[in-house]
């Protein structure tokens, strides 16, 4: 076989997982080449920039937040279920403080400014907050709530403040990067060992074409993420340029190939096949989250699990007053503790309520909520909240009338309010287990029902991304074959793989898992290089 390039470790996809894999492989002395179909950055660069970490990180200690590894493990064991083995989760938890130190050592900025109230994403005053369901009744019964959402310091959505420092550190360490290079197949030798890839690269296209390709890729990623028709047009143009200008190359990887190419949420065909109930959401990822990394692994003999698992986000706050409202279904019945993380709410809507739901608030809560918008929300959160109040709300002076206007059961809603109010007045637990500090009697009108249903809507979308992926050896990150044996020379990390958050997601857990699994794959791919050389 003729090779156009050779390296020790080849990283496919250069977001957070890919950058971390490259850094660890270089630290072990391996030569590293990273390729990416677009500009690099992946979903991490577009994200809010949250890393879920605890157990006494340097940032927590500076903020005066007491946390232990045992408390973090207790929370996550309840949250993520059987996504990974307990011993893998324990390694993740125990290495959490070191992970934050490692990220800061590579230039990722964090700050010990604590958000004391519960919110879906803090404003630019705060960079350490409750990023999951720690404050909810079910979880505080397991362990006291602790702020573990480490937001990289940067105004607005600060994902770029994680990816860009990691990318700079990787390049400074000697990682070579080829953007606009699309891997189309893995190459294996006669023994089944993965020894390289076949790819199509735009590297030899005219400079003006490469600039146009890069610009369109950036727009397709964001703002294209929020306006799918624009993204689809740009995707077509990008594919046309690849067909015309890309040439095929083969890249040899002496130590191994690491797939870090993201999930499949941008692939509508795969979404309809694996998770048809989630086609009404907003694809939270780049055009590169097309499942190609997963499909490459499957073609090489790998296996995939939890492909029907998608994280759907329906946040009801800010404003934080809305946590004291009541989430109800078509029958007017509550179906979840309103303080649960937005992905838990979204999945309950999709899986249990046919995607339909409403948030009920009374006049007092609405007044408090409007006051909080200016102080608790970043601009895009204010935009979404104001849009929901203007276009997705029905109001009436009585509970019966507001229910009729919304199209839900007046009798069911009235019964729900009675049960809720009687529990509060009688000093009894909330029927859905909501902590008392978030409860509020629904008493005086006008009453408002806010439509929080999961459906396509530009101003108040329901972001989603896939959680399933290729099965890996949890000690090394090596891809597993259908027989359960590692596939020599093939490693997987990030959302291309089954990981910590593959059953249940809270903010920061995906990026934390990208760091954890990316570093693991980089270390062991380098170790395999030494073994093959010997």
């Amino acid at each position: 076989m003729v090779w156009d390039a050779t390296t020790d470790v080849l990283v496919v996809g250069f977001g957070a997982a890919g950058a971390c894999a490259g850094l660890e492989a270089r630290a072990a002395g391996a030569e590293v080449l990273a390729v990416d179909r677009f500009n690099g950055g992946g979903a991490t660069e577009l994200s809010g920039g949250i890393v879920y970490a605890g157990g006494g990180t340097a940032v927590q200690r500076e903020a005066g937040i007491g946390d232990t590894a045992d408390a973090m493990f207790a929370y996550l064991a309840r949250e993520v279920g059987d996504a990974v083995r307990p011993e893998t989760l324990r390694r993740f938890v125990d290495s959490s403080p070191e992970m934050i130190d490692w990220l800061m050592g590579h230039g990722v900025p964090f700050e010990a400014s604590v958000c004391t109230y519960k919110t879906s994403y803090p404003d630019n005053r705060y960079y350490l907050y409750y990023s999951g369901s720690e404050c909810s009744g079910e979880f505080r019964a397991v362990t006291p709530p602790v702020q573990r959402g480490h937001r990289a310091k940067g105004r607005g959505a600060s994902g770029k403040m994680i990816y860009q420092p990691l990318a700079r550190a990787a390049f400074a360490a000697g990682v070579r990067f080829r953007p606009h290079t699309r891997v189309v197949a893995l190459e294996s030798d006669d023994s089944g060992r993965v020894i390289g890839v076949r790819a199509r690269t735009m590297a030899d296209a005219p400079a003006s074409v490469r600039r146009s390709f890069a610009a369109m890729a950036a727009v397709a990623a964001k703002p294209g993420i929020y306006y799918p028709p624009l993204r689809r047009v740009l995707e077509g143009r990008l594919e046309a340029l690849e067909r015309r200008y890309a040439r095929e190359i083969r890249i040899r990887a002496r130590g191994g190939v690491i797939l870090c190419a993201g999930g499949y949420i941008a692939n509508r065909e795969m979404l309809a096949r694996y998770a048809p109930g989630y086609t009404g959401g907003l694809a939270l990822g780049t055009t590169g989250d097309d499942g190609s990394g997963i499909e490459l692994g499957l073609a090489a003999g790998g296996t995939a699990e939890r492909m029907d698992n998608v994280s759907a986000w329906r946040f009801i706050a800010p404003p934080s007053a809305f946590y004291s409202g009541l989430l109800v279904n078509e029958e007017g019945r509550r179906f979840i503790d309103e303080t649960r993380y937005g992905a838990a709410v979204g999945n309950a809507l999709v899986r249990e309520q046919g995607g339909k739901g409403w948030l009920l608030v009374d006049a007092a809560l609405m007044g408090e909520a409007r006051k909080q918008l200016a102080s608790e929300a970043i601009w895009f959160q204010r935009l979404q909240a104001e849009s929901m109040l203007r276009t997705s709300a029905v109001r009436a002076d009585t509970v019966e009338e507001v229910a009729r206007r919304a199209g839900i059961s007046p009798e069911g809603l009235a019964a729900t309010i009675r049960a809720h109010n009687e529990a509060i007045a009688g000093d009894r637990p909330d029927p859905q287990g909501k902590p008392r500090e978030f409860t509020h009697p629904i008493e005086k009108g006008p009453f408002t029902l806010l439509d929080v249903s999961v459906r396509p809507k530009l101003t108040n979308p329901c972001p989603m991304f896939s959680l399933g992926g290729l099965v890996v050896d949890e000690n090394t990150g090596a891809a597993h074959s259908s027989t359960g044996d590692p596939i020599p020379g093939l490693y997987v990390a990030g959302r291309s793989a089954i990981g910590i958050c593959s059953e249940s997601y809270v903010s920061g857990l995906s990026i934390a898992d990208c760091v954890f699994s990316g570093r693991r794959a980089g270390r062991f791919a380098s170790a395999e290089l030494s073994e093959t050389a010997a």
Side-chain angles (χ1 to χ4, degrees), residues 497-533:
I498 293 292
I500 303 295
C501 63
S502 290
E503 178 57 30
S504 176
Y505 173 79
V506 298
S507 282
L509 203 54
S510 180
I511 294 180
D513 185 48
C514 285
V515 177
F516 177 75
S517 62
R519 295 179 67 191
R520 177 180 64 189
R523 287 193 298 269
F524 282 94
S526 304
E528 186 165 338
L529 172 69
S530 302
E531 292 171 6
T532 55

Side-chain angles (χ1 to χ4, degrees), residues 326-336 338 349 352-353 356-360 408-420 431-432 449:
L326 305 181
L327 278 167
V328 297
N329 59 18
E330 286 184 288
E331 289 75 42
R333 307 295 186 185
R334 291 171 72 195
F335 55 89
I336 196 170
E338 290 80 7
L349 284 167
E352 303 167 13
Q353 309 301 328
K356 296 180 180 180
W358 292 263
L359 178 69
L360 174 70
I408 68 177
S409 167
E411 297 79 13
L413 185 61
T416 293
I417 294 173
R418 280 196 305 273
H420 171 72
Q432 288 291 333
L449 278 169

Side-chain angles (χ1 to χ4, degrees), residues 192-433:
R193 176 185 175 80
V194 174
I195 58 173
V197 304
R198 189 167 72 252
R200 292 184 59 77
T201 183
M202 298 284 290
D204 298 325
S208 60
V209 173
R210 296 199 304 274
R211 286 194 297 270
S212 179
F213 189 91
M216 283 194 291
V219 174
K222 196 174 186 178
I225 188 175
Y226 296 113
Y227 189 55
L230 172 63
R231 171 175 277 188
R232 286 193 289 270
V233 169
L234 293 174
E235 285 173 346
R237 293 179 180 177
L238 289 165
E239 289 176 359
L241 288 177
E242 286 176 318
R243 285 194 298 270
R244 180 173 180 184
Y245 292 104
R247 71 176 179 91
E248 186 168 288
I249 60 172
R250 282 184 169 84
I251 304 172
R252 183 185 178 196
R254 289 182 289 252
V257 173
I258 305 176
L259 299 176
C260 305
Y264 72 83
I265 198 64
N267 187 320
R268 302 296 293 179
E269 180 182 324
M270 288 182 72
L271 190 63
R273 185 194 325 157
Y274 291 115
Y278 292 88
T279 54
L282 181 78
L284 191 64
T286 72
T287 303
D289 286 295
D290 59 0
S292 57
I294 297 171
E295 292 183 324
L296 286 169
L298 292 174
T303 59
E305 289 182 357
R306 303 177 191 262
M307 294 293 285
D308 60 343
N309 201 4
V310 171
S311 182
W313 300 356
R314 179 50 80 208
F315 293 110
I316 63 173
S320 57
F322 281 169
Y323 286 124
S324 297
L326 305 181
L327 278 167
V328 297
N329 59 18
E330 286 184 288
E331 289 75 42
R333 307 295 186 185
R334 291 171 72 195
F335 55 89
I336 196 170
D337 172 352
E338 290 80 7
T339 63
R340 286 294 306 275
Y341 179 72
V345 173
N347 285 332
L349 284 167
V350 173
R351 295 175 183 176
E352 303 167 13
Q353 309 301 328
K356 296 180 180 180
W358 292 263
L359 178 69
L360 174 70
V361 295
D362 65 2
L365 282 177
M366 182 59 73
E368 186 179 355
R370 288 194 177 280
K371 293 177 184 177
Q372 290 171 341
L373 268 180
S375 62
E376 292 185 359
I378 294 179
W379 69 268
F380 64 85
Q381 294 171 319
R382 286 196 296 273
L383 177 66
Q384 291 179 355
E386 292 290 354
S387 173
M388 184 169 64
L389 290 171
R390 284 195 296 267
T391 66
S392 301
V394 295
R395 297 177 182 85
D397 290 333
T398 67
V399 170
E400 292 75 13
E401 182 61 22
V402 79
R404 279 192 291 270
R405 291 182 182 181
I408 68 177
S409 167
E411 297 79 13
L413 185 61
T416 293
I417 294 173
R418 280 196 305 273
H420 171 72
N421 288 351
E422 288 172 2
I424 294 175
D427 200 27
R428 298 195 306 272
D430 174 75
Q432 288 291 333

